[in-house]
Amino acid sequence: MIGRNKTTFFKDIKLRILGKISSWQAKLFWCGGKKILIKVVAQAVPAYAMSVFKLPLGFCEEMQKAIARFWWGNNKDHRPIH
C-alpha cells in the first residue's frame, strides 16, 4: 500500500534513475548520445509507475533537475558548457 507518503514508495525509482545518470557523467557523449540516453533510459524507467500512480510533484522536479544537469554538464569539478 502506498498511503499518503508517496516519496518513500518512489525512492527506488529515483535511485535507479540517479544511478544511471551518475554512471553516464564519467563518459563523454555528443548531444545525440545524451539525447538518446535521456529518452530511452531516464524517461522510460518511471513510465509504468506514471501510468499507474500519480507521481508527486517534487519527484518530477528532482528528476527534471537531474536530467538537466546531465544534459548541460553541470558538475562540481568543471563548469557547464553554456
Side-chain angles (χ1 to χ4, degrees):
M1 300 294 273
I2 294 177
R4 288 185 155 253
N5 191 3
K6 295 180 184 177
T7 56
T8 56
F9 182 75
F10 294 112
K11 188 175 185 179
D12 182 47
I13 296 171
K14 178 179 155 184
L15 290 176
R16 284 178 47 201
I17 294 171
L18 293 176
K20 289 179 186 290
I21 290 175
S22 67
S23 69
W24 299 337
Q25 292 287 348
K27 299 174 179 69
L28 298 174
F29 292 110
W30 293 94
C31 290
K34 286 183 179 183
K35 186 176 177 182
I36 296 294
L37 284 173
I38 289 170
K39 286 186 176 186
V40 172
V41 179
Q43 292 178 346
V45 169
Y48 176 74
M50 287 171 27
S51 68
V52 177
F53 305 107
K54 183 177 180 182
L55 298 179
L57 186 61
F59 175 80
C60 295
E61 289 175 354
E62 288 178 19
M63 294 302 100
Q64 185 177 10
K65 287 178 186 178
I67 291 170
R69 268 188 252 118
F70 170 69
W71 178 258
W72 292 109
N74 191 3
N75 194 353
K76 293 179 179 106
D77 299 334
H78 64 289
R79 297 188 65 136
I81 294 172
H82 67 290

